[in-house]
Amino acid sequence: MITDSQIEAWLREDLGHHDVTNDVPGETEGRLVAKEAGVVAGLDAATAVFAYLGCEIADAATDGTRIDEGETVLVVEGPAREVLRGERVAVNVTGHASGIATRTRAAVDAAREVDPDVAIAATRKTTPGLRGIEKRAVAAGGGDTHRLDLSHMVMIKDNHVAELGLEEAVSRLRERTSFATQIEVEVESPGDAERAAEAGADIVLLDNLAPKEVATGVDLVGDEALTEASGGITIADVPAYAETGVDVISMGSLTHSAPALDYSFRTG
Amino acid sequence: MITDSQIEAWLREDLGHHDVTNDVPGETEGRLVAKEAGVVAGLDAATAVFAYLGCEIADAATDGTRIDEGETVLVVEGPAREVLRGERVAVNVTGHASGIATRTRAAVDAAREVDPDVAIAATRKTTPGLRGIEKRAVAAGGGDTHRLDLSHMVMIKDNHVAELGLEEAVSRLRERTSFATQIEVEVESPGDAERAAEAGADIVLLDNLAPKEVATGVDLVGDEALTEASGGITIADVPAYAETGVDVISMGSLTHSAPALDYSFRTG
Amino acid sequence: MITDSQIEAWLREDLGHHDVTNDVPGETEGRLVAKEAGVVAGLDAATAVFAYLGCEIADAATDGTRIDEGETVLVVEGPAREVLRGERVAVNVTGHASGIATRTRAAVDAAREVDPDVAIAATRKTTPGLRGIEKRAVAAGGGDTHRLDLSHMVMIKDNHVAELGLEEAVSRLRERTSFATQIEVEVESPGDAERAAEAGADIVLLDNLAPKEVATGVDLVGDEALTEASGGITIADVPAYAETGVDVISMGSLTHSAPALDYSFRTG
Amino acid sequence: MITDSQIEAWLREDLGHHDVTNDVPGETEGRLVAKEAGVVAGLDAATAVFAYLGCEIADAATDGTRIDEGETVLVVEGPAREVLRGERVAVNVTGHASGIATRTRAAVDAAREVDPDVAIAATRKTTPGLRGIEKRAVAAGGGDTHRLDLSHMVMIKDNHVAELGLEEAVSRLRERTSFATQIEVEVESPGDAERAAEAGADIVLLDNLAPKEVATGVDLVGDEALTEASGGITIADVPAYAETGVDVISMGSLTHSAPALDYSFRTG
Amino acid sequence: MITDSQIEAWLREDLGHHDVTNDVPGETEGRLVAKEAGVVAGLDAATAVFAYLGCEIADAATDGTRIDEGETVLVVEGPAREVLRGERVAVNVTGHASGIATRTRAAVDAAREVDPDVAIAATRKTTPGLRGIEKRAVAAGGGDTHRLDLSHMVMIKDNHVAELGLEEAVSRLRERTSFATQIEVEVESPGDAERAAEAGADIVLLDNLAPKEVATGVDLVGDEALTEASGGITIADVPAYAETGVDVISMGSLTHSAPALDYSFRTG
Amino acid sequence: MITDSQIEAWLREDLGHHDVTNDVPGETEGRLVAKEAGVVAGLDAATAVFAYLGCEIADAATDGTRIDEGETVLVVEGPAREVLRGERVAVNVTGHASGIATRTRAAVDAAREVDPDVAIAATRKTTPGLRGIEKRAVAAGGGDTHRLDLSHMVMIKDNHVAELGLEEAVSRLRERTSFATQIEVEVESPGDAERAAEAGADIVLLDNLAPKEVATGVDLVGDEALTEASGGITIADVPAYAETGVDVISMGSLTHSAPALDYSFRTG
């Protein structure tokens, strides 16, 4: 959900106390146009910005659509002053989200060349304040949203294991966890992957391992648990990991390092 | 300023209603460590996150410092549960801001090889909700923050010119603008740059022009106004633009497309 | 997480613009004392209220503890004016949360007489604004928090089934759902429970069925999925449902109809 | 007043970052239907929830109406996705408020059998965040809202009396209190009730006294002040207290322990 | 109560995204010093501003104190950057509140020359966002805070009377009003004042009447109700109204037109 | 920008939890009428108040218009309950802003008798929470908004000069300041004014100097910088300062001490 208070904060930080530039009379139409090909996302946010300003959305593309350079993804109508005041914020949020969707799509396409099923997933490495928008942009690009917040899935890491041992850690956390919440265990060797699966993990995360080791881990885990690979994986690395048979490849860079997709906003 | 309500929104979106994973007893120390070289920024935000959670900052680097792989930039102490709950948000915001500072530094360094004075400036193409953090990250990287919001400086664009003519647009907006606020005029040819300067623009923005045209515009404007070049300029393009004698080179990519700087967070 | 803005709203609605009653000088100590036996919960919220007002927590019980009449669960010290201003809000939130924990405990105890494992779970029928506090109160009472929000687990209901058919609905939503998110299907007959499990549901919800039908459904589902019973189940009904072998018994009344646990606040 | 920021918080806590379940196309109609008889309240809040989501209210009952099982109290129309996203929050708030109105109505009816005038009043023992909604629900049930916040009326309690003496406490606080604000004095014996009235209290609160003692206190106070009885009074106790001639009977349980009224939400 | 979110809004609107001026190192002490004589108020707000910024209050005067030119009312210590950033906001809020207290004091002093008891009261004509601060400033100046908000007291005006008739309006609203809430009736003639009192008004407001008419109204009302005079009354008019025997003289100008008291802030 | 959360805070502080007075049925029209001549401002805020309450604006004057006693500046239509609930807040904010615009207009008119160009400017001495509204009210009165926030312009004061010396202070801050941001230097003698201009100040502020000294300073500065005079300047002082040739006369009293313009609100 895009909340009004978020929109308000975005507009407030861009407008300041006395915007003379855009204090113009009359009505206008604004069009958000892609300046390069990609996958569109973030239109719910752009729409909410203009709605907050009292403008009407005349037309809008659907998040997840592949677009070419020159395509219009949003048409808005309203008082020129309000349309112009929403412009920069709308372009910024759509460009940011579409950049994420576009990079996710590229990673998914790279995986599909090798494996029809492996999921390309985002992480919790999102930009503060934009968790929902970025996760939905990943979905728009064909990716998997993964853990939405800390309460969505339990993640057992080295600090838990160091304190309790792997099996005991899984057992203790299972006891405290709702049936509605899965438990993932992060491991750093194929052998620990097998132990984690046997201890009852729903998902085993093979962290910072080479594709060959991931493949070994996936074999050892078998059907006991889902498997996930992560740790600095780039789009170029995706095919090699996809070939391991792992269920999920997760990449922080989908959200924290995707360049914005370039849009222009045309009025009149 | 990083406000408590911003911190609250960042933590809320990452925690959810019942975080079982980090519900651990005891006190701990956490260290934010760079996994690659770069320029640090965003520590005011990371510090504010841990302060909101009732943790103590034991040590912190200064924004703008060049750091090497392996350097610690923040040490925090407090209840393990709170330190762990702040971890992801702190890493995300510092990585994001440091990525911007690092890219800005690279652009400034590229400019300095050619010209000791030309400013490398950010734009209003920032991530919604993070205007202040990103602008300060640009400053930390040695860049110029440029227009902070719409009320900071008036920008006369083609829609004003189309309606009123260039000279009349400058005259009308000067009348409505405080002495405290400068007026910049966006032009798309060297000749219009000269006209804008003569009409009284404080700054003339040469948009989407090749370095050669920018150089012509800069010569025509002379001392009548500051000059700025913008429009899809990459770091590779910076030296060519710097050689034109332009006063400011602005790049939206500093804020909207800088990859995050990689940090890890180590506890115990 | 209890946010400052929540605390602020609670205090603001209780104080008004000019509180003459509590405008008293000096320091005082306040003690939150149970007036009846039960299970304590909500102390994180009460603690946050006094912290917001600049008071110190001298002692606090642990959420989930069974307490007797007369037991002190929180001791706070600070300026008399602030302690008195926090009193009513602190009592209200602790009484509310402890009432939920106490009722949950009673339901869990009723279930334990019959079955050592069946989970007693809350629902999304919580008091607006208090989702997290109520879910954690359920956990404090030994219950299962169940679905924390709509994004935590997918729930396929009759409207999905009517439109797509049960199998297709499961298949479509599985495709759109992260590996991190489970899918539950709500059914109204034992036969549909079996179909849902075969279609790939992670959990099958047997809604508004008598214990006998639930037992049939549980048998038909077997190990294919977890099973949950719900629909107006009271504490008196719990043993009968627990005997069906169902994995989870969920009760909206745990959160929406538990009477407050009675506390008094004593100062000086 | 139901504020947008309250609605936003309620929806945010229930939706999370990526609600797949309700992401359905098309328009729908939703009807809020009572599953048991009672008194409706909270419809202003339910209406505000759907308005925030951009839905239209086609029909709505009036708060305070007695309804039977099966009656529709609200009809809403809009995009299916938005109607479904508002459903749970709307049911929760209406069920909560109607539960309070229904219990209040029962207490008022019990009093009316004995006395045509005695007021049944709520207290400040409300659920944090819902003061206004609960007080208005009490009014919808025929009850008296009593003190809305600490600034609404001055309450002199034992700590004031211990420090200053009863007469001096009344005198001091009268001096500091606006003419617009009444002063109530809490006493624990009939004799002190008389003293409080003579000292100038507008209202005398007979706290934790048996009906017989309340009757004595009411006689002693006479026309000098209004009288109120409180302290663990249940609906079964109401007639006995009503017979004492006291002006007001206040009950914290109206707001902190009323079970929710059961509603279902039907779409399509 | 001064809330953190209020402080945050005040600071945010004054700081902007990149304050270079006050980005200075080291610690400092700041003193808020009166530049003219008056009555101090608003120090709770100034204190809260510096507390939000992490500064310590070393000394503070008490609201309501008469101060001379040159007196220090607040001493704050902390990081120079934070002290300087709080300065302007602290001066603005203290100057505003002290201006109100000072003018109220002058009005009260004018009344006291004639009558020892008549109350000088503020109205709801306050500056949006500052209701509580302004009402408490009136109290600091010796004034009466009057109706704090619409829920504090019922006011029957000409629109109610036109619809229902005066007696019926009082009767209807009495029925719907809590015993905790008084009813005031606004009248425009002495005769209506008498009718209002007989109809059961707690307070009768004689609006826009000359002192002579007010005196007549006061006589007619006698002990049946309190009496209040209002309507463009200036400090020069106060003695004439005070002589009428009216209980309360209310003046909107206390809050909406009091000039600020002049303070300077000295550091180092 | 007037944000919804501001409107919400204004209405919340005025309504309280249970407003019985204005709980009236039906639709009505409300008219905001000037009770004295002046310059209207703040209508964007009044409009936003009624829009938040779901009312329609039927007609509205333009901020900056000179109005006579009896003129209607706003006509609003909607449910009587909502129109009445917005009334007080709308009158308060319009009266406050119009008071500022009216006083600014008077100061500008006083200046114009002597000099056709000198700017009459506001300062940062605004009422907390109302910076934008007050600055725009100054513009509506023909004044100059001056520095909108700390990030808008750098101000070098005595503490900078004491630490670094005037020339070094200007040089250091110029280095850290964006080309988009001007630098003003506050001086207390004509000689320092000249030094500041030579050091590169964009604007020189002659603080607390008599007109004669200001005139000397203006001459010494010449065309090197803009000049501003400030320090307790009243409207009566304006002509004398205007004659000095100074570019800007700034007056804190425009915003912190202007009496409200008197409006009434008529319904039905």
Side-chain angles (χ1 to χ4, degrees), chain A residues 8 11-12 17-18 52, chain F residues 1 3-5 131 136 148:
Chain A
E8 192 174 299
L11 288 169
R12 190 176 50 210
H17 299 307
H18 192 222
Y52 187 93
Chain F
M1 187 174 61
T3 62
D4 280 0
S5 63
R131 174 67 54 87
R136 295 193 295 275
L148 296 170

Side-chain angles (χ1 to χ4, degrees), chain C residues 201-218:
Chain C
D202 295 300
I203 301 116
V204 177
L205 171 59
L206 298 137
D207 196 36
N208 286 317
L209 297 180
K212 196 172 164 184
E213 293 172 298
V214 170
T216 306
V218 168

Side-chain angles (χ1 to χ4, degrees), chain B residues 75-251:
Chain B
V75 182
V76 60
E77 296 168 356
R81 176 165 42 192
E82 305 305 328
V83 170
L84 291 169
R85 284 181 179 161
E87 165 183 348
R88 175 53 40 219
V89 173
V91 171
N92 287 352
V93 75
T94 314
H96 181 75
S98 300
I100 289 170
T102 301
R103 176 168 282 206
T104 302
R105 187 76 257 164
V108 171
D109 290 348
R112 288 295 162 270
E113 291 176 14
V114 175
D115 182 300
D117 291 324
V118 61
I120 298 296
T123 65
R124 281 171 48 242
K125 297 182 176 178
T126 57
T127 312
L130 301 179
R131 174 67 53 86
I133 288 171
E134 295 189 355
K135 288 286 191 178
R136 295 193 296 273
V138 166
D144 184 301
T145 49
H146 206 300
R147 187 155 68 142
L148 295 170
D149 59 35
L150 283 165
S151 301
H152 188 202
M153 187 158 68
V154 167
M155 179 73 78
I156 295 177
K157 299 190 132 187
D158 48 2
N159 59 339
H160 295 95
V161 173
E163 198 193 348
L164 300 167
L166 195 154
E167 284 76 9
E168 178 66 12
V170 174
S171 164
R172 286 270 190 94
L173 281 160
R174 178 66 75 193
E175 205 175 304
R176 296 169 52 199
T177 303
S178 170
F179 74 93
T181 308
Q182 299 184 88
I183 294 179
E184 180 160 12
V185 179
E186 181 182 307
V187 298
E188 295 181 358
S189 73
D192 279 353
E194 187 178 19
R195 282 179 62 201
E198 284 169 358
D202 295 301
I203 301 116
V204 176
L205 171 58
L206 298 137
D207 196 35
N208 287 316
L209 297 181
K212 195 172 164 185
E213 293 172 298
V214 169
T216 307
V218 168
D219 284 348
L220 290 171
V221 168
D223 288 341
E224 291 295 305
L226 283 182
T227 52
E228 174 184 353
S230 78
I233 299 174
T234 65
I235 292 183
D237 301 328
V238 162
Y241 281 94
E243 281 177 344
T244 63
V246 77
D247 297 301
V248 180
I249 298 169
S250 60
M251 304 164 70

Side-chain angles (χ1 to χ4, degrees), chain D residues 118-123 125 144 146 155 184-188 193 203-218 221 225-234 237-254, chain E residues 179:
Chain D
V118 61
I120 298 296
T123 66
K125 297 182 178 179
D144 184 301
H146 206 301
M155 179 72 78
E184 180 160 13
V185 178
E186 181 183 307
V187 299
E188 295 179 358
I203 302 116
V204 177
L205 171 58
L206 297 137
D207 196 35
N208 287 317
L209 297 180
K212 197 173 162 185
E213 293 172 297
V214 169
T216 306
V218 168
V221 168
L226 283 182
T227 51
E228 174 184 353
S230 77
I233 299 173
T234 65
D237 301 327
V238 163
Y241 281 95
E243 282 177 345
T244 64
V246 77
D247 298 301
V248 180
I249 298 170
S250 60
M251 305 164 69
S253 61
L254 296 183
Chain E
F179 75 93

Side-chain angles (χ1 to χ4, degrees), chain F residues 3-223:
Chain F
T3 62
D4 280 0
S5 63
Q6 246 184 312
I7 300 296
E8 193 173 297
W10 298 350
L11 288 169
R12 191 175 49 210
E13 74 176 10
D14 191 44
L15 289 183
H17 299 307
H18 192 222
D19 164 29
V20 173
T21 303
N22 296 316
D23 199 2
V24 296
E27 301 278 313
T28 198
E29 182 190 87
R31 294 177 306 287
L32 187 60
V33 181
K35 294 173 72 175
E36 57 180 322
V39 176
V40 67
L43 288 179
D44 55 346
T47 294
V49 167
F50 287 116
Y52 187 93
L53 291 165
C55 303
E56 293 291 321
I57 302 300
D59 197 16
T62 304
D63 277 3
T65 308
R66 293 189 197 240
I67 49 172
D68 285 324
E69 184 188 336
E71 276 192 48
T72 295
V73 298
L74 193 76
V75 181
V76 59
E77 296 168 354
R81 176 165 43 192
E82 306 304 330
V83 170
L84 291 169
R85 285 183 178 160
E87 164 183 348
R88 175 53 40 219
V89 173
V91 170
N92 287 350
V93 75
T94 313
H96 182 76
S98 300
I100 289 170
T102 301
R103 176 169 282 206
T104 302
R105 188 75 258 166
V108 171
D109 290 348
R112 287 295 160 271
E113 291 177 14
V114 175
D115 182 301
D117 291 323
V118 60
I120 298 296
T123 66
R124 281 170 49 241
K125 297 182 177 178
T126 58
T127 312
L130 301 179
R131 174 67 54 87
I133 289 170
E134 295 188 355
K135 288 287 193 179
R136 295 193 295 275
V138 166
D144 184 302
T145 50
H146 206 301
R147 188 156 67 141
L148 296 170
D149 58 35
L150 282 164
S151 301
H152 188 202
M153 187 160 67
V154 168
M155 179 73 78
I156 296 177
K157 299 189 132 189
D158 48 3
N159 59 340
H160 294 96
V161 172
E163 199 192 348
L164 299 168
L166 196 155
E167 284 76 9
E168 179 66 12
V170 174
S171 165
R172 286 273 189 90
L173 281 161
R174 178 67 72 194
E175 207 174 302
R176 295 169 54 198
T177 302
S178 169
F179 75 91
T181 308
Q182 298 183 86
I183 294 179
E184 180 160 12
V185 179
E186 182 183 306
V187 298
E188 294 180 0
S189 73
D192 280 353
E194 186 179 20
R195 281 180 62 201
E198 284 169 359
D202 295 302
I203 303 115
V204 177
L205 170 59
L206 298 138
D207 197 35
N208 286 317
L209 296 181
K212 196 172 163 186
E213 292 172 298
V214 169
T216 306
V218 168
D219 284 347
L220 289 171
V221 168
D223 288 341

Side-chain angles (χ1 to χ4, degrees), chain D residues 2 9 11 15 32 35 37 48 93 107 140 145 148 150 156 162 166 178 202 210 230 242 247 262 264:
Chain D
I2 312 292
L11 288 168
L15 290 183
L32 187 60
K35 294 173 72 175
V93 75
T145 49
L148 296 170
L150 283 164
I156 296 177
L166 195 154
S178 170
D202 295 301
S230 77
D247 298 301
D262 202 4
S264 69

